[in-house]
Amino acid sequence: MKWSEFFVTGEPLIYAADVAIVLTVIGIVFVLTYFKKWKWLWDEWLTTVDHKKIGVMYIISAVLMLFRGGVDALLMRAQLTAPNMKFLNSEHYNEIFTTHGTIMILFMAMPFIIGLMNIVVPLQIGARDVAYPYLNALSFWLFFVGAMLFNISFVIGGSPNAGWTSYFPLAGNEFSPGVGNNYYAVALQISGIGTLMTGINFLVTILKMRAPGMTLMRMPMFTWTILITCVLIIFAFPVLTVALALMTFDRLFDTQFFTMANGGMSMLWANLFWIWGHPEVYIVILPSFGIFSEVVSTFARKRLFGYKAMVYSIVGIAFLSFIVWVHHFFTMGAGAAVNSVFSITTMAIAVPTGVKIFNWLFTLRKGKIRFTTAMLWSLAFIPNFVIGGVTGVMLAMAAADYQYHNSYFLIAHFHYVLIAGTVFACFAGLHYWYPKMFGHILNERLGKWTFWLFMIGFNICFFPMYFLGLMGMTRRMYTYSEGLGWTPLNVVASVGAVLMGIGFIVLCYNIYYSARYGERDMTGDPWDGRTLEWATSSPVAHYNFAITPEVKDLDAYWEMKKSGKGFEIDEEKLKPIHMPSNSGRPFLISIAFFFAGFGLVFKWFWLAIIATIFIALGLILRSFDDDDGYYISVDEIKRTERLSGKGA
Amino acid sequence: MGANHHHETFPWKHIVGFILSLVLTFIALWVALSSGWTIKAILGVIVTLAVLQAALQLFMFMHMTESDSGRVQTINMLYSFFIAVVVVAGSIWVMWFVL
Amino acid sequence: MAEAAHQYDETMPLEYRTEESRLNILGFWIFLGAEVVLFATLFATYLVLFQRTGSGPTTSDLFEIKDVMIETLLLLTSSFTCGLAVFEMRRRRLSGLLTWLLVTLLLGAGFITFEIREFIHYVHEGATIQTSAFLSSFFVLVGTHGAHVSLGICWMILIIIQLLQRGFTPRTARKVFIVSLYWHFLDVVWIFIFTLVYLTGMVM
Ligand code: HEM
Ligand SMILES: [Cu+2]
């Protein structure tokens, strides 16, 4: 391969990105060296196995990826604002919608959710850590290097360009030579392995490490949704693993799975992709439901209405979400029988989803509502998500879908569920749990600015797209001609996108502003919360709970407060706490994964083999590792507790 | 706690399991190659035999139901078989129109 | 991880004694659930594609029952001997455990040898992974199983070394138990390969 092919050349935008990347790297290295922070970085972050820090790293990565995906989105909107624009050419547009979709779903939405669950779940169930802290670090770093591998594609070698669904034959060697789609296959594979391990880790954590007294039916709703999400991850991600592996084989070793000759069947890719893909959308939406449930019940000061109905409905979703996948390709030609069955199952899954809307509405009814930023996001979620849901049921009718399929109607639908569902939830959760992560509150006034800018911008951007779809505008088209009458609505949509972008900037500013001037949370319970995480100090001590709490009620901490005691720590009862040791190995193994992946992308098999040997070495060392962790002494616990004002 | 902590001196359970799995294998072999039944019947029988043999491994060799997590382990396996059937049967059914 | 991580419960088999071990064993079961789905997807791919042979050979051109039966019997027996290893471990007989693990390992190596020979044989007949959709899916399905078995062999060697170094500890006992789960599971997968790939291929 020539160097001129190795680095992407020829686009001013790309050169600007090259410069920006180099400058950022130099900047980071300079700051770390100047302030002598390398050791801090290594000791506190790169080697940590603490679920709270891992969660914070997930969220930082997710916000970065939201930025990257958002820039992609704005570029696309810029190109589509007026007819016959010359801003992006068709090839570049293809690359951008592909990276936008893939990054938003796999490297933004999922890690944001996983970050929140890392921070919150062990606290909500009264545990000291997750079941496998070491594995947790490995999961994070695998996700992270997968995301980095995917992201460098646009400056090294070229981006994938066959859509986030990467359908064959388009994604095959014949129509997509070059390395772009290798990045897709390999980067998603690496981060997918991390996600699968997270699923197993949290399932076992929730099943086995709950505080005494916390029966399944006393589990906070967020924890319940994560439990079911883990089940979906565990049983859906292996399908993606295989599909991507087959794609890799087709692209690197010329196998015939999805090819056009020798018996290959390109449509099988679509089938496998969506067997994973539909559960995947529930993986990002169920935790959002959990976040909204927590926020709504806290700020309405009421117990969640219909808790049991909600639990049954999410358990129902765990089954149903595996038997609806064909609704993504009704138009492929599988025939009336297949389409009818999947049309019916799809409408059926709307029922347990709809049930929950009423749960939230009845929780709000007659509640003493406090309009905090987190609550605003949750309240806005309800009507916006209903719009997305109703249009989803329209798409579920197989016959009607022949009209809507692959139009902007679909684009509007899934952004209404993904943004109003997942993104709103991530922002709500971020504001709500921020004090637990950093010890201070995100500024409410700036938070509300973000909310109004983003929420209004979102509707201005995506509501017109329903009509653009009905007017015949299809997805993934890079430009359109003048006489079609699409121009006004496209202009409106782009204005909305800019408003969302400004909202995002205000959010980033808020993070900076609050770190400097934000209100410290001294109590550990700034919102008058109901669940166990609010019984800890803010930020949370390394070991979470000095003594394991006893749970007597669904709203465990609320019950403690009502009974007048709160969560008392009796110093007599303190015992040394066992904690796992930090390890740099997960980070190093993941780096080896990065190089193995890079080798595969460019078919430099020598590199892939060397890196794989390093991975194996890391695993063997782990197997012989006898580290049993360490104990935190009672004295140290006492000191920490007194400092945080919690100790007696 | 279901974990059996008996001190058997002879591995009866394993030997019975092993013999049964051999028997099932050879029945399947005979059904497939020498029975002369219709293809549908053959497929039905050998798949059933395979499922039986898998269950045998899970219960007799892998002690699936033992320990205080026995219930979770069992539900987990049942659910994974449910998904496996959905994936295999579903894919064949959905892709039937091209086959 | 609670303090309980280091409390022993004497009434249980060694591999279940610590909280950490119990968590790991449960986690491994759940991982096996994911593996079931992984292999199910490979089976689905194979079953959709196996009659799409292009200009290459078909199943009945290729498969020979003798080789398949040898592989099957080797693996079935290794699953049995692996069960005996755990049985010996629960009777606290280190030498018995080591012997049966070694036998299992050799049977596994035998299986792999025959499988590689089978693959080489096919390739010599011109049936490579690139020939047709059928052969791509065949090699990837059966090869993935074979890769799992090979990995299992390496893993067992590591555990044997640790047993020799440290003898019975809650940790080594747990590792033996988990590798045994893995090994039995691979036998389960093979039963389905035997049935759905080889027998079905010879019938159709
Ligand atoms: C920040 C505001 C956002 C804007 C302005 C935006 C805009 C767009 C646009 C213009 C397209 C391409 C339409 C086409 O040409 O076919 C698109 C596609 C897509 N977007 Fe977004 N988007 C945003 C956020 C998100 C989020 C948060 C997610 C997911 C969590 C998401 C997921 C997707 C997906 C999956 C696609 C399809 C990509 C493909 O066709 O392969 N978007 N978006
Ligand atoms: Cu779907």
Side-chain angles (χ1 to χ4, degrees):
Chain A
M1 170 171 277
K2 292 192 292 286
W3 284 110
S4 61
E5 279 170 35
F6 185 72
F7 289 113
V8 177
T9 49
E11 286 262 355
L13 279 173
I14 302 280
Y15 290 134
D18 287 336
V19 175
I21 292 172
V22 173
L23 287 181
T24 316
V25 171
I26 293 176
I28 292 174
V29 171
F30 176 76
V31 169
L32 285 171
T33 314
Y34 187 80
F35 292 102
K36 301 202 171 60
K37 288 287 187 193
W38 284 104
K39 189 169 156 38
W40 167 82
L41 183 71
W42 178 258
D43 288 345
E44 296 288 319
W45 297 98
L46 302 189
T47 60
T48 187
V49 294
D50 179 346
H51 67 98
K52 301 176 288 292
K53 285 187 176 161
I54 289 175
V56 167
M57 292 194 290
Y58 265 115
I59 291 176
I60 293 173
S61 322
V63 172
L64 281 176
M65 290 296 112
L66 180 59
F67 173 73
R68 160 80 209 262
V71 170
D72 283 346
L74 289 176
L75 291 176
M76 286 189 290
R77 282 317 316 164
Q79 165 66 17
L80 291 178
T81 307
N84 297 321
M85 287 277 278
K86 296 277 184 301
F87 179 53
L88 303 174
N89 61 31
S90 62
E91 179 50 28
H92 200 174
Y93 190 87
N94 290 350
E95 292 179 355
I96 288 185
F97 72 64
T98 303
T99 52
H100 165 76
T102 314
I103 286 178
M104 283 297 198
I105 297 215
L106 285 137
F107 300 133
M108 191 287 288
M110 292 244 315
F112 214 129
I113 299 274
I114 293 179
L116 289 172
M117 96 194 202
N118 257 287
I119 292 162
V120 177
V121 165
L123 297 176
Q124 274 198 336
I125 62 174
R128 297 237 161 90
D129 208 323
V130 294
Y132 321 113
Y134 179 92
L135 199 66
N136 201 22
L138 188 57
S139 296
F140 169 75
W141 288 111
L142 284 180
F143 144 71
F144 186 79
V145 300
M148 286 304 116
L149 189 61
F150 190 85
N151 270 277
I152 60 166
S153 65
F154 83 110
V155 287
I156 298 180
S159 297
N161 57 3
W164 91 282
T165 50
S166 284
Y167 274 10
F168 280 82
L170 180 59
N173 277 334
E174 200 179 334
F175 297 101
S176 299
V179 298
N181 289 288
N182 297 352
Y183 272 113
Y184 176 95
V186 176
L188 264 56
Q189 187 70 282
I190 294 175
S191 66
I193 298 170
T195 308
L196 179 61
M197 297 191 307
T198 301
I200 296 174
N201 204 342
F202 278 80
L203 185 68
V204 176
T205 305
I206 297 174
L207 287 177
K208 287 287 151 183
M209 298 177 68
R210 300 191 304 276
M214 184 178 282
T215 56
L216 281 178
M217 279 311 196
R218 280 185 196 158
M219 243 161 45
M221 187 48 71
F222 179 65
T223 301
W224 252 115
T225 57
I226 295 297
L227 177 76
I228 300 298
T229 303
C230 290
V231 172
L232 296 182
I233 289 178
I234 292 163
F235 295 108
F237 265 76
V239 182
L240 179 70
T241 304
V242 170
L244 290 172
L246 303 186
M247 174 188 250
T248 312
F249 275 108
D250 261 12
R251 292 191 54 85
L252 299 188
F253 307 116
D254 296 314
T255 51
Q256 311 285 350
F257 289 102
F258 309 124
T259 52
M260 305 287 281
N262 299 317
M265 190 195 282
S266 51
M267 284 181 278
L268 183 62
W269 164 266
N271 181 64
L272 295 180
F273 182 87
W274 287 112
I275 292 178
W276 160 78
H278 191 84
E280 166 67 13
V281 305
Y282 275 89
I283 289 169
V284 297
I285 203 67
L286 278 182
S288 313
F289 292 164
I291 294 171
F292 292 129
S293 302
E294 301 292 336
V295 172
V296 164
S297 117
T298 300
F299 294 114
R301 282 183 216 250
K302 277 177 67 191
R303 182 184 279 258
L304 189 63
F305 178 88
Y307 173 84
K308 273 196 185 146
M310 199 115 155
V311 169
Y312 294 138
S313 70
I314 55 176
V315 173
I317 286 176
F319 274 97
L320 284 170
S321 63
F322 279 101
I323 50 174
V324 297
W325 76 91
V326 173
H327 64 217
H328 294 275
F329 48 88
F330 278 145
T331 54
M332 200 162 82
V338 172
N339 277 2
S340 316
V341 166
F342 282 93
S343 186
I344 290 167
T345 52
T346 303
M347 288 188 227
I349 204 171
V351 176
T353 312
V355 165
K356 289 194 271 297
I357 299 285
F358 291 97
N359 287 130
W360 294 310
L361 290 178
F362 279 109
T363 310
L364 288 168
R365 188 165 164 264
K366 293 195 181 160
K368 297 190 206 61
I369 296 174
R370 283 172 293 165
F371 292 96
T372 57
T373 310
M375 186 62 161
L376 286 179
W377 286 114
S378 310
L379 292 175
F381 149 78
I382 296 174
N384 283 307
F385 188 80
V386 168
I387 296 176
V390 170
T391 49
V393 176
M394 292 168 73
L395 291 159
M397 293 182 272
D401 186 52
Y402 274 71
Q403 286 302 312
Y404 307 131
H405 186 65
N406 271 359
S407 73
Y408 261 77
F409 190 88
L410 170 77
I411 298 277
H413 153 69
F414 71 66
H415 283 89
Y416 260 87
V417 285
L418 283 169
I419 296 185
T422 307
V423 178
F424 283 18
C426 291
F427 289 163
L430 187 67
H431 275 268
Y432 183 58
W433 284 305
Y434 205 79
K436 282 289 139 208
M437 305 177 208
F438 298 108
H440 59 265
I441 295 168
L442 268 185
N443 184 283
E444 281 284 305
R445 213 163 55 90
L446 287 172
K448 285 174 186 167
W449 269 102
T450 305
F451 167 75
W452 288 111
L453 281 166
F454 198 93
M455 201 276 289
I456 292 174
F458 161 68
N459 275 288
I460 294 178
C461 182
F462 288 100
F463 203 71
M465 289 189 193
Y466 282 119
F467 299 99
L468 281 172
L470 296 178
M471 287 157 84
M473 183 159 164
T474 56
R475 80 191 280 197
R476 295 174 180 170
M477 64 189 331
Y478 86 106
T479 192
Y480 50 92
S481 53
E482 236 184 302
L484 292 163
W486 300 348
T487 317
L489 288 180
N490 269 308
V491 172
V492 173
S494 294
V495 171
V498 171
L499 285 182
M500 294 165 85
I502 300 174
F504 177 76
I505 293 173
V506 177
L507 174 74
C508 295
Y509 176 67
N510 194 358
I511 290 174
Y512 161 78
Y513 179 88
S514 306
R516 292 204 62 165
Y517 311 108
E519 180 190 336
R520 293 259 314 142
D521 169 30
M522 306 307 283
T523 60
D525 183 19
W527 317 118
D528 199 5
R530 311 174 76 83
T531 39
L532 278 181
E533 72 267 35
W534 306 109
T536 59
S537 54
S538 297
V540 187
H542 181 36
Y543 47 77
N544 296 355
F545 296 90
I547 52 173
T548 310
E550 292 253 357
V551 176
K552 301 209 181 67
D553 188 61
L554 165 59
D555 291 327
Y557 186 47
W558 190 255
E559 188 273 339
M560 288 176 192
K561 287 191 279 191
K562 287 297 101 118
S563 67
K565 291 202 288 283
F567 179 52
E568 278 182 346
I569 288 159
D570 182 353
E571 291 200 346
E572 298 301 306
K573 283 197 190 148
L574 289 179
K575 282 194 219 112
I577 296 175
H578 177 252
M579 297 302 287
S581 323
N582 283 3
S583 170
R585 226 179 286 122
F587 176 70
L588 296 174
I589 291 179
S590 303
I591 298 278
F593 263 97
F594 180 89
F595 284 105
F598 197 79
L600 283 182
V601 166
F602 284 91
K603 294 203 200 179
W604 297 346
F605 293 116
W606 55 271
L607 178 61
I609 291 170
I610 293 175
T612 309
I613 292 173
F614 274 98
I615 296 170
L617 211 66
L619 297 178
I620 292 172
L621 284 176
R622 164 68 177 170
S623 177
F624 280 89
D625 188 354
D626 256 335
D627 190 345
D628 273 324
Y630 63 97
Y631 281 89
I632 301 179
S633 70
V634 172
D635 284 340
E636 198 185 328
I637 303 170
K638 278 185 190 159
R639 240 178 296 133
T640 316
E641 291 298 308
R642 284 186 188 145
L643 263 179
S644 73
K646 280 263 165 185
Chain B
M1 192 79 30
N4 41 343
H5 194 227
H6 45 213
H7 284 280
E8 279 180 53
T9 45
F10 197 72
W12 283 116
K13 213 172 152 186
H14 293 89
I15 290 177
V16 172
F18 182 49
I19 293 174
L20 277 177
S21 64
L22 286 178
V23 169
L24 289 172
T25 307
F26 280 102
I27 296 179
L29 184 68
W30 179 81
V31 170
L33 300 187
S34 318
S35 69
W37 300 346
T38 62
I39 289 190
K40 264 195 186 152
I42 292 178
L43 290 183
V45 171
I46 60 178
V47 170
T48 313
L49 291 173
V51 171
L52 280 178
Q53 207 181 142
L56 203 92
Q57 293 270 338
L58 285 167
F59 287 108
M60 302 195 73
F61 287 176
M62 295 171 78
H63 317 273
M64 176 170 69
T65 52
E66 90 181 1
S67 98
D68 52 352
S69 301
R71 240 171 53 121
V72 177
Q73 287 160 196
T74 312
I75 294 174
N76 172 58
M77 275 295 148
L78 286 176
Y79 194 67
S80 70
F81 284 130
F82 161 71
I83 303 287
V85 171
V86 167
V87 171
V88 174
S91 295
I92 294 174
W93 187 49
V94 168
M95 302 315 294
W96 195 254
F97 74 108
V98 246
L99 288 183
Chain C
M1 291 222 239
E3 312 86 285
H6 292 267
Q7 281 164 8
Y8 290 149
D9 183 340
E10 296 294 339
T11 61
M12 281 188 281
L14 194 56
E15 63 270 24
Y16 283 112
R17 290 254 169 104
T18 66
E19 175 73 22
E20 193 190 348
S21 290
R22 290 197 288 273
L23 289 178
N24 284 13
I25 291 172
L26 174 60
F28 196 77
W29 270 103
I30 292 175
F31 171 73
L32 289 184
E35 287 267 70
V36 169
V37 181
L38 184 126
F39 278 104
T41 314
L42 288 170
F43 274 110
T45 307
Y46 175 81
L47 291 174
V48 168
L49 297 177
F50 84 103
Q51 285 173 311
R52 300 168 66 90
T53 51
S55 52
T58 65
T59 48
S60 44
D61 293 341
L62 224 49
F63 298 156
E64 274 169 38
I65 192 62
K66 198 175 118 246
D67 294 350
V68 178
M69 279 315 285
I70 294 175
E71 287 165 33
T72 306
L73 292 178
L74 281 172
L75 206 62
L76 270 184
T77 314
S78 80
S79 184
F80 169 61
T81 56
C82 183
L84 292 182
V86 172
F87 179 83
E88 288 294 306
M89 178 173 80
R90 291 200 171 167
R91 293 192 340 167
R92 291 298 176 84
R93 300 220 331 215
L94 190 58
S95 57
L97 167 62
L98 286 169
T99 314
W100 287 122
L101 274 185
L102 213 64
V103 173
T104 308
L105 207 151
L106 291 174
L107 289 168
F111 168 85
I112 288 293
T113 316
F114 272 91
E115 184 157 86
I116 292 176
R117 272 186 33 181
E118 183 195 333
F119 281 11
I120 291 177
H121 177 66
Y122 293 161
V123 170
H124 278 301
E125 289 189 9
T128 73
I129 195 169
Q130 291 148 348
T131 307
S132 66
F134 151 59
L135 284 165
S136 297
S137 57
F138 167 80
F139 278 114
V140 170
L141 167 59
V142 181
T144 305
H145 176 267
H148 274 72
V149 174
S150 314
L151 204 78
I153 292 175
C154 298
W155 189 5
M156 253 184 218
I157 293 174
L158 288 184
I159 292 174
I160 290 176
I161 296 174
Q162 294 181 11
L163 279 170
L164 289 172
Q165 282 178 342
R166 301 167 197 175
F168 282 125
T169 69
R171 184 173 267 152
T172 50
R174 178 237 297 161
K175 288 186 180 182
V176 171
F177 188 72
I178 288 181
V179 85
S180 83
L181 290 180
Y182 183 74
W183 199 264
H184 294 309
F185 171 76
L186 293 180
D187 193 36
V188 173
V189 175
W190 182 260
I191 294 164
F192 285 98
I193 292 182
F194 174 67
T195 308
L196 292 173
V197 176
Y198 290 107
L199 289 187
T200 305
M202 279 182 262
V203 173
M204 304 274 274

